[in-house]
Amino acid sequence: MKKLNLPLVIITWIDSGYSDASWIEAKTRLNKPMPTAVSVGWLYHKSKEKVILFSAWCTLDGEYEDGCEGSLQEIATKNIKDIKEISWQ
């Protein structure tokens, strides 16, 4: 199988916090802290603007091919607190 030459990482980042389409009083959110999130995946792209990672990938005919990634996630670089590489394979 063709090796996936991307680092596997754990990213700790500040999430936007709250997302809900229901009606609430905005003042209930004033004293709520911004949550810290943790994501794990293969680091596909890193720039001043954003990081793109995915947590699943597949093979075509037994080899990894670009374009066969799943569970894609984009995180604003300014929200990232830490990125740690994980040893795998």
Side-chain angles (χ1 to χ4, degrees):
M1 179 182 347
K2 181 177 172 183
K3 184 178 178 183
L4 178 65
N5 287 321
L6 297 172
L8 182 60
V9 296
I10 297 175
I11 299 179
T12 305
W13 54 286
I14 303 299
D15 195 355
S16 61
Y18 186 77
S19 177
D20 190 335
S22 64
W23 290 90
I24 66 164
E25 291 182 7
K27 67 182 176 184
T28 65
R29 302 299 308 161
L30 290 175
N31 296 318
K32 300 284 185 183
M34 298 297 285
T36 299
V38 178
S39 297
V40 178
W42 282 271
L43 183 60
Y44 187 77
H45 172 82
K46 183 179 177 184
S47 69
K48 289 182 179 182
E49 179 185 11
K50 64 184 168 182
V51 165
I52 300 174
L53 68 153
F54 55 85
S55 60
W57 53 282
C58 61
T59 61
L60 300 171
D61 297 324
E63 293 191 2
Y64 166 76
E65 290 192 27
D66 194 32
C68 194
E69 301 85 25
S71 302
L72 209 65
Q73 186 174 14
E74 291 183 53
I75 302 170
T77 301
K78 64 184 176 184
N79 289 4
I80 295 175
K81 295 173 72 174
D82 189 44
I83 299 178
K84 291 184 183 171
E85 192 168 331
I86 304 168
S87 178
W88 71 289
Q89 292 191 1

